[in-house]
Amino acid sequence: MQAPEERHAEESLPTPMPDPGAASHARASAKKPASFYLAIALSALVSIALLGFLWFSTRDEGPARDPNAALGQLEGKTQEEIQAELDRTVAEGMLSISIASFVEFSDGSSEGEVKIENAPSNHYLMKVRITRDDTGETVYESGIIEPNRHIQKAKLAVDLDAGEYPCTAVFDAYDSETEEPVGQAAAKLTIAVKA
């Protein structure tokens, strides 16, 4: 009996065919998850919001309006005083200023009747700064006061000791549209602190 013939034939395995679905699956697994893109979008929005906030908070809007400036002329003015004020302003280019010549304070941190007024006849915004004549120190500074507004009472910016202080009030006038400085006027006054 003859030995069975040995077969040495190599069995070849079939070569796998590329699966088109497998390639798209490999590409899909390389994509970032949706949460990654959401995080990028949120980060961009936060950055834009932060830049907008910084731009709005750092831009110069000019001098701030004084919150104590009430609408209308000073309280207690007679019709004759109002008319006299209007008569004093002859031309549009003139600046009418009004402030108390003697302002008394109970103490250095209390309110006093400063009676600052931007008359309705004025065509300018005004800002008032009061300085001591002896030292040049600023003891009061208003915000912008629009025409036909006044500040009846105000506190000083510094706590002065008891005594009388000769001062000068400087009225800076600003163009009502551009808020550019257009001129100034000054008036003398005395600040008296009782205690």
Short mmCIF file of all heavy atoms in Angstrom, two decimals, residues 13-46:
data_model
loop_
_atom_site.label_atom_id
_atom_site.label_comp_id
_atom_site.label_asym_id
_atom_site.label_seq_id
_atom_site.Cartn_x
_atom_site.Cartn_y
_atom_site.Cartn_z
N LEU A 13 -5.01 32.27 2.00
CA LEU A 13 -6.22 32.89 2.54
C LEU A 13 -6.68 33.95 1.57
O LEU A 13 -5.87 34.63 0.94
CB LEU A 13 -5.92 33.53 3.91
CG LEU A 13 -5.53 32.54 4.99
CD1 LEU A 13 -5.08 33.29 6.22
CD2 LEU A 13 -6.69 31.64 5.32
N PRO A 14 -7.94 34.12 1.48
CA PRO A 14 -8.41 35.15 0.55
C PRO A 14 -7.99 36.54 1.03
O PRO A 14 -8.02 36.85 2.21
CB PRO A 14 -9.92 35.00 0.54
CG PRO A 14 -10.25 34.24 1.78
CD PRO A 14 -9.03 33.45 2.13
N THR A 15 -7.52 37.36 0.09
CA THR A 15 -7.12 38.74 0.43
C THR A 15 -8.38 39.54 0.71
O THR A 15 -9.30 39.55 -0.11
CB THR A 15 -6.38 39.37 -0.74
OG1 THR A 15 -5.31 38.51 -1.10
CG2 THR A 15 -5.86 40.74 -0.39
N PRO A 16 -8.37 40.17 1.87
CA PRO A 16 -9.61 40.92 2.17
C PRO A 16 -9.76 42.10 1.23
O PRO A 16 -8.82 42.81 0.93
CB PRO A 16 -9.42 41.39 3.61
CG PRO A 16 -7.95 41.29 3.88
CD PRO A 16 -7.41 40.29 2.93
N MET A 17 -10.95 42.29 0.79
CA MET A 17 -11.29 43.41 -0.09
C MET A 17 -11.54 44.65 0.79
O MET A 17 -12.12 44.54 1.86
CB MET A 17 -12.57 43.11 -0.88
CG MET A 17 -12.41 41.96 -1.85
SD MET A 17 -11.36 42.39 -3.23
CE MET A 17 -12.33 43.56 -4.08
N PRO A 18 -11.08 45.77 0.34
CA PRO A 18 -11.34 46.96 1.16
C PRO A 18 -12.83 47.23 1.25
O PRO A 18 -13.53 47.20 0.26
CB PRO A 18 -10.61 48.08 0.42
CG PRO A 18 -10.29 47.56 -0.93
CD PRO A 18 -10.36 46.07 -0.86
N ASP A 19 -13.25 47.48 2.47
CA ASP A 19 -14.66 47.74 2.73
C ASP A 19 -14.89 49.25 2.72
O ASP A 19 -14.35 49.97 3.55
CB ASP A 19 -15.04 47.13 4.08
CG ASP A 19 -16.50 47.33 4.43
OD1 ASP A 19 -17.26 47.85 3.60
OD2 ASP A 19 -16.86 46.98 5.54
N PRO A 20 -15.68 49.79 1.78
CA PRO A 20 -15.89 51.23 1.74
C PRO A 20 -16.54 51.73 3.02
O PRO A 20 -16.28 52.83 3.48
CB PRO A 20 -16.80 51.46 0.55
CG PRO A 20 -17.16 50.14 0.00
CD PRO A 20 -16.39 49.09 0.74
N GLY A 21 -17.34 50.98 3.68
CA GLY A 21 -17.98 51.39 4.94
C GLY A 21 -16.95 51.51 6.04
O GLY A 21 -17.05 52.36 6.92
N ALA A 22 -15.92 50.68 6.02
CA ALA A 22 -14.89 50.73 7.06
C ALA A 22 -14.10 52.01 6.95
O ALA A 22 -13.71 52.62 7.94
CB ALA A 22 -13.98 49.53 6.93
N ALA A 23 -13.83 52.49 5.73
CA ALA A 23 -13.07 53.73 5.54
C ALA A 23 -13.85 54.90 6.07
O ALA A 23 -13.30 55.78 6.73
CB ALA A 23 -12.75 53.92 4.07
N SER A 24 -15.14 54.94 5.80
CA SER A 24 -15.92 56.08 6.30
C SER A 24 -16.04 56.01 7.81
O SER A 24 -16.07 57.02 8.49
CB SER A 24 -17.30 56.11 5.64
OG SER A 24 -18.05 55.00 6.05
N HIS A 25 -16.04 54.79 8.36
CA HIS A 25 -16.08 54.65 9.81
C HIS A 25 -14.78 55.17 10.42
O HIS A 25 -14.78 55.82 11.45
CB HIS A 25 -16.31 53.18 10.18
CG HIS A 25 -16.27 52.94 11.66
ND1 HIS A 25 -17.23 53.44 12.50
CD2 HIS A 25 -15.37 52.28 12.43
CE1 HIS A 25 -16.92 53.09 13.74
NE2 HIS A 25 -15.80 52.38 13.73
N ALA A 26 -13.64 54.90 9.76
CA ALA A 26 -12.36 55.38 10.26
C ALA A 26 -12.32 56.90 10.22
O ALA A 26 -11.82 57.55 11.12
CB ALA A 26 -11.22 54.80 9.43
N ARG A 27 -12.87 57.50 9.12
CA ARG A 27 -12.90 58.96 9.04
C ARG A 27 -13.82 59.53 10.11
O ARG A 27 -13.52 60.54 10.71
CB ARG A 27 -13.39 59.38 7.65
CG ARG A 27 -12.27 59.53 6.66
CD ARG A 27 -12.75 60.12 5.37
NE ARG A 27 -12.86 59.03 4.38
CZ ARG A 27 -13.95 58.69 3.75
NH1 ARG A 27 -15.06 59.34 3.93
NH2 ARG A 27 -13.94 57.69 2.90
N ALA A 28 -14.94 58.90 10.37
CA ALA A 28 -15.88 59.40 11.37
C ALA A 28 -15.27 59.38 12.75
O ALA A 28 -15.50 60.26 13.56
CB ALA A 28 -17.16 58.58 11.34
N SER A 29 -14.46 58.35 13.04
CA SER A 29 -13.88 58.27 14.37
C SER A 29 -12.79 59.32 14.54
O SER A 29 -12.45 59.69 15.64
CB SER A 29 -13.33 56.87 14.64
OG SER A 29 -12.28 56.61 13.74
N ALA A 30 -12.24 59.88 13.43
CA ALA A 30 -11.23 60.93 13.52
C ALA A 30 -11.87 62.29 13.76
O ALA A 30 -11.20 63.22 14.16
CB ALA A 30 -10.40 60.97 12.25
N LYS A 31 -13.14 62.46 13.50
CA LYS A 31 -13.84 63.73 13.73
C LYS A 31 -13.94 64.01 15.22
O LYS A 31 -14.01 63.10 16.04
CB LYS A 31 -15.25 63.67 13.13
CG LYS A 31 -15.27 63.77 11.64
CD LYS A 31 -16.71 63.84 11.17
CE LYS A 31 -16.79 63.92 9.67
NZ LYS A 31 -18.15 63.88 9.20
N LYS A 32 -13.97 65.33 15.54
CA LYS A 32 -14.10 65.75 16.94
C LYS A 32 -15.57 65.62 17.34
O LYS A 32 -16.46 65.80 16.52
CB LYS A 32 -13.66 67.20 17.12
CG LYS A 32 -12.27 67.49 16.62
CD LYS A 32 -11.24 67.04 17.59
CE LYS A 32 -9.87 67.47 17.14
NZ LYS A 32 -8.84 66.60 17.48
N PRO A 33 -15.80 65.37 18.61
CA PRO A 33 -17.19 65.28 19.06
C PRO A 33 -17.87 66.66 19.01
O PRO A 33 -17.21 67.69 19.02
CB PRO A 33 -17.07 64.76 20.49
CG PRO A 33 -15.67 65.06 20.91
CD PRO A 33 -14.85 65.08 19.66
N ALA A 34 -19.16 66.67 18.97
CA ALA A 34 -19.93 67.91 18.87
C ALA A 34 -19.65 68.83 20.06
O ALA A 34 -19.65 70.05 19.93
CB ALA A 34 -21.42 67.60 18.78
N SER A 35 -19.38 68.26 21.21
CA SER A 35 -19.11 69.08 22.40
C SER A 35 -17.84 69.90 22.23
O SER A 35 -17.71 70.99 22.78
CB SER A 35 -19.03 68.21 23.65
OG SER A 35 -17.96 67.29 23.53
N PHE A 36 -16.87 69.40 21.44
CA PHE A 36 -15.63 70.14 21.18
C PHE A 36 -15.95 71.43 20.43
O PHE A 36 -15.46 72.51 20.77
CB PHE A 36 -14.68 69.26 20.37
CG PHE A 36 -13.45 69.98 19.90
CD1 PHE A 36 -12.39 70.22 20.76
CD2 PHE A 36 -13.35 70.42 18.59
CE1 PHE A 36 -11.26 70.88 20.34
CE2 PHE A 36 -12.23 71.09 18.16
CZ PHE A 36 -11.17 71.32 19.02
N TYR A 37 -16.79 71.32 19.38
CA TYR A 37 -17.15 72.50 18.60
C TYR A 37 -18.01 73.46 19.41
O TYR A 37 -17.91 74.68 19.27
CB TYR A 37 -17.86 72.08 17.31
CG TYR A 37 -16.92 71.36 16.38
CD1 TYR A 37 -17.03 69.99 16.16
CD2 TYR A 37 -15.90 72.05 15.73
CE1 TYR A 37 -16.15 69.33 15.32
CE2 TYR A 37 -15.02 71.40 14.89
CZ TYR A 37 -15.15 70.04 14.69
OH TYR A 37 -14.28 69.39 13.86
N LEU A 38 -18.84 72.94 20.27
CA LEU A 38 -19.66 73.78 21.15
C LEU A 38 -18.77 74.57 22.10
O LEU A 38 -18.98 75.77 22.32
CB LEU A 38 -20.65 72.91 21.93
CG LEU A 38 -21.61 73.66 22.86
CD1 LEU A 38 -22.47 74.63 22.07
CD2 LEU A 38 -22.48 72.67 23.62
N ALA A 39 -17.74 73.93 22.63
CA ALA A 39 -16.80 74.61 23.54
C ALA A 39 -16.05 75.72 22.80
O ALA A 39 -15.85 76.82 23.34
CB ALA A 39 -15.81 73.62 24.14
N ILE A 40 -15.66 75.48 21.56
CA ILE A 40 -14.97 76.50 20.75
C ILE A 40 -15.90 77.68 20.51
O ILE A 40 -15.51 78.84 20.66
CB ILE A 40 -14.50 75.90 19.40
CG1 ILE A 40 -13.44 74.83 19.62
CG2 ILE A 40 -14.00 76.99 18.47
CD1 ILE A 40 -12.09 75.36 20.02
N ALA A 41 -17.16 77.41 20.15
CA ALA A 41 -18.12 78.47 19.87
C ALA A 41 -18.39 79.31 21.12
O ALA A 41 -18.42 80.53 21.07
CB ALA A 41 -19.43 77.88 19.33
N LEU A 42 -18.56 78.64 22.26
CA LEU A 42 -18.79 79.36 23.51
C LEU A 42 -17.58 80.21 23.89
O LEU A 42 -17.72 81.35 24.35
CB LEU A 42 -19.13 78.39 24.64
CG LEU A 42 -20.53 77.79 24.59
CD1 LEU A 42 -20.70 76.73 25.67
CD2 LEU A 42 -21.58 78.87 24.74
N SER A 43 -16.40 79.68 23.68
CA SER A 43 -15.18 80.43 23.98
C SER A 43 -15.09 81.67 23.12
O SER A 43 -14.72 82.75 23.59
CB SER A 43 -13.97 79.52 23.75
OG SER A 43 -12.78 80.24 23.88
N ALA A 44 -15.44 81.56 21.85
CA ALA A 44 -15.41 82.71 20.94
C ALA A 44 -16.43 83.75 21.37
O ALA A 44 -16.14 84.95 21.39
CB ALA A 44 -15.68 82.25 19.51
N LEU A 45 -17.63 83.32 21.76
CA LEU A 45 -18.66 84.26 22.21
C LEU A 45 -18.23 84.99 23.48
O LEU A 45 -18.42 86.20 23.61
CB LEU A 45 -19.98 83.53 22.45
CG LEU A 45 -20.75 83.13 21.19
CD1 LEU A 45 -21.96 82.28 21.56
CD2 LEU A 45 -21.19 84.36 20.43
N VAL A 46 -17.64 84.27 24.42
CA VAL A 46 -17.17 84.90 25.66
C VAL A 46 -16.08 85.91 25.35
O VAL A 46 -16.05 87.02 25.90
CB VAL A 46 -16.68 83.83 26.66
CG1 VAL A 46 -15.92 84.45 27.80
CG2 VAL A 46 -17.86 83.02 27.18
#
